[in-house]
Amino acid sequence: MPAVEIKPDMYWVGVNDRTTDLFEGLWPISREGVSYNSFVIKDEKTAIIDLAKAMKTDDFFGQIADITSLRDIDYCVINHVEPDHTGVLRILKEMAPDMTIVCTEKAAGLLEAYYGVHDNMKIVGDGDTLSLGKRTLQFFSTPFVHWPETMMTFEPSDGVLFSCDGFGGYGALQGTIFDDECQDQAFYERESLRYFVNIVAKFRVSVRKAIQKLADVDVRMIAPSHGLIWRAHPERIIELYQEWCDYPGTPGDLAVTLIYGSMYGNTERFMNAVAQGIAGEGLDVEIFDAARTHSSYMLPYLWTRRGVVVGAPTYEGALFPPVWEVIREARIKGVKNRQLAMFGSYGWTGGALRDLVKIVEPVKWNLVDSLEIKGGANSESIAQAAAFGRRFAVTLKEG
Ligand code: FEO
């Protein structure tokens, strides 16, 4: 994708990644892709802000070379050291040997650790500025959005905030980089939520602090390092991030996430009846087979929805492992204060429910109902399951 001028003499360059299967080697993006956005500002001094993962380097450096000679880059601002934004740093240093790296003190330590880079560094702190000539860059320390060294860079004359991971999202760019030219903003908002819950939700308190810190800053464009550039409505992605940060302290949306696993189809039969009961009471229920769905896709629903129904057989005296995995992951991410119901079948002994309660106790999920059925499904147990689903939906609506 060719470079795009986002403001006079200010350019998007970057890598549109449609080939990586797993972001961070963990989160699936093979269908959605991701972008590593980088920005070049030409002035009396030339600066590049954040880089890209070490892939498609010919394309990346080709984009920059169309704007400026690589040797003429004076400053490389590193907002965040994670290698999806710094993977090409060593190559760039070879090509621009006089370039000064601008970063926080913590970032300098990490650059040494990751790349052995330690010369030509300019350490900046919160509120420091750097003149490029006509433009000045201002730096805001925003630790733990997403690592401890992270900062954001602001260009006041055009109000552009280079926010790196903050306000970012999955989703390769589809022909445009701007929110107002995008025909499917819902895709990016959905993928921003998935990215938020997968990558930065653990650090939501820091994200909230960063949003508060920027509240009085005249931000007119949000240019994150992943996903869309928000030039028409920068407030939209700030509001979404704020809302997502706040979910653990709220009851959540009045809807249900149903996560189940089934060995021989009995729990699945109950699941269909439970879902009918919930839907029959007018509540939306999103159903996931935990053994066949990556937690990346389930976590956003767990993050935002009030009700969680877990359907799982007992397996070796404990919760069915794929279900255990996603619930544990939700706990780690900080999904809190959910209303919970659990159903499932067992052969000779239970244990799944006991195990589930143990996992969610520290994050205050409230078990409101349970239904453990011995053996296979029959018309009586199916009716019990449907009634269980209805009861849970009614409890949620009344709560
Ligand atoms: Fe996009 Fe935390 O790196």
Side-chain angles (χ1 to χ4, degrees):
M1 191 164 155
V4 179
E5 191 169 38
I6 64 172
K7 290 285 178 187
D9 291 326
M10 188 185 288
Y11 300 86
W12 171 92
V13 292
V15 171
N16 216 13
D17 181 357
R18 295 178 180 278
T19 52
T20 296
D21 291 325
L22 297 171
F23 189 77
E24 291 188 337
L26 178 61
W27 308 105
I29 53 164
S30 50
R31 277 178 299 167
E32 301 84 2
V34 71
S35 67
Y36 314 108
N37 304 332
S38 169
F39 302 92
V40 173
I41 300 176
K42 280 182 74 173
D43 202 327
E44 289 162 30
K45 299 284 184 186
T46 297
I48 185 163
I49 300 174
D50 292 322
L51 301 173
K53 190 175 162 182
M55 63 185 295
K56 299 183 192 290
T57 48
D58 284 358
D59 292 345
F60 180 66
F61 290 118
Q63 287 169 329
I64 299 169
D66 285 343
I67 300 165
T68 181
S69 158
L70 290 156
R71 292 193 69 83
D72 291 342
I73 295 175
D74 298 290
Y75 296 115
C76 175
V77 176
I78 302 285
N79 283 317
H80 176 27
V81 176
E82 195 166 5
D84 53 332
H85 308 291
T86 55
V88 296
L89 178 63
R90 266 202 296 238
I91 308 172
L92 180 61
K93 258 183 83 63
E94 293 284 320
M95 294 190 284
D98 298 329
M99 174 184 84
T100 299
I101 294 171
V102 181
C103 65
T104 63
E105 194 164 359
K106 277 207 171 78
L110 287 168
L111 288 173
E112 167 80 51
Y114 274 86
Y115 303 107
V117 165
H118 49 74
D119 58 327
N120 284 6
M121 311 283 278
K122 179 178 174 59
I123 304 300
V124 292
D126 193 37
D128 285 355
T129 58
L130 175 69
S131 173
L132 301 180
K134 290 189 286 296
R135 294 181 187 275
T136 297
L137 300 179
Q138 187 176 5
F139 306 103
F140 290 100
S141 170
T142 54
F144 288 104
V145 186
H146 145 225
W147 284 7
E149 86 295 5
T150 42
M151 67 175 186
M152 295 186 188
T153 298
F154 183 60
E155 194 290 309
S157 70
D158 279 308
V160 182
L161 181 71
F162 301 98
S163 55
C164 202
D165 278 356
F167 312 118
Y170 299 134
L173 299 164
Q174 299 171 345
T176 181
I177 65 170
F178 297 117
D179 57 342
D180 54 297
E181 291 177 354
C182 170
Q183 300 301 313
D184 188 6
Q185 195 168 307
F187 165 77
Y188 289 101
E189 291 188 3
R190 194 167 59 244
E191 286 305 311
S192 293
L193 171 60
R194 188 164 72 92
Y195 170 88
F196 172 88
V197 181
N198 292 180
I199 309 297
V200 290
K202 179 89 182 155
F203 310 102
R204 65 192 171 281
V205 174
S206 303
V207 176
R208 195 187 288 125
K209 273 188 197 154
I211 293 172
Q212 282 162 0
K213 185 174 204 166
L214 297 164
D216 296 326
V217 178
D218 182 22
V219 175
R220 282 163 276 152
M221 181 187 286
I222 299 263
S225 290
H226 300 295
L228 284 183
I229 311 301
W230 301 80
R231 73 173 175 189
H233 295 290
E235 74 285 356
R236 173 68 183 161
I237 194 67
I238 297 173
E239 282 162 12
L240 285 173
Y241 258 67
Q242 176 75 60
E243 188 183 307
W244 298 336
C245 284
D246 290 345
Y247 264 108
T250 72
D253 302 338
L254 184 54
V256 176
T257 312
L258 195 166
I259 291 175
Y260 79 99
S262 189
M263 295 165 69
Y264 295 105
N266 288 304
T267 300
E268 186 179 11
R269 288 186 195 103
F270 296 138
M271 178 278 291
N272 283 314
V274 170
Q276 262 183 336
I278 296 167
E281 286 295 326
L283 288 195
D284 186 36
V285 54
E286 191 72 28
I287 300 168
F288 296 101
D289 179 343
R292 294 175 178 80
T293 314
H294 196 286
S295 63
S296 173
Y297 296 98
M298 297 185 265
L299 288 169
Y301 290 87
L302 291 166
W303 189 262
T304 54
R305 292 182 166 213
R306 186 175 308 177
V308 181
V309 176
V310 170
T314 289
Y315 189 89
E316 296 178 345
L319 189 62
F320 191 53
V323 175
W324 183 90
E325 281 290 346
V326 64
I327 300 298
R328 181 185 149 276
E329 190 75 49
R331 186 178 85 173
I332 291 169
K333 292 298 178 192
V335 176
K336 287 187 179 151
N337 301 317
R338 293 289 163 260
Q339 301 300 312
L340 172 68
M342 196 263 173
F343 68 93
S345 73
Y346 63 95
W348 64 95
T349 183
L353 177 62
R354 188 179 55 235
D355 209 18
L356 175 63
V357 168
K358 211 162 58 189
I359 300 167
V360 298
E361 223 167 28
V363 279
K364 299 187 171 59
W365 291 21
N366 177 36
L367 181 72
V368 296
D369 205 352
S370 63
L371 179 67
E372 285 193 291
I373 297 166
K374 187 175 170 72
N378 55 37
S379 54
E380 190 188 337
S381 56
I382 291 289
Q384 281 181 324
F388 166 86
R390 279 196 299 277
R391 269 201 315 276
F392 183 62
V394 169
T395 305
L396 280 190
K397 288 195 289 186
E398 288 174 347

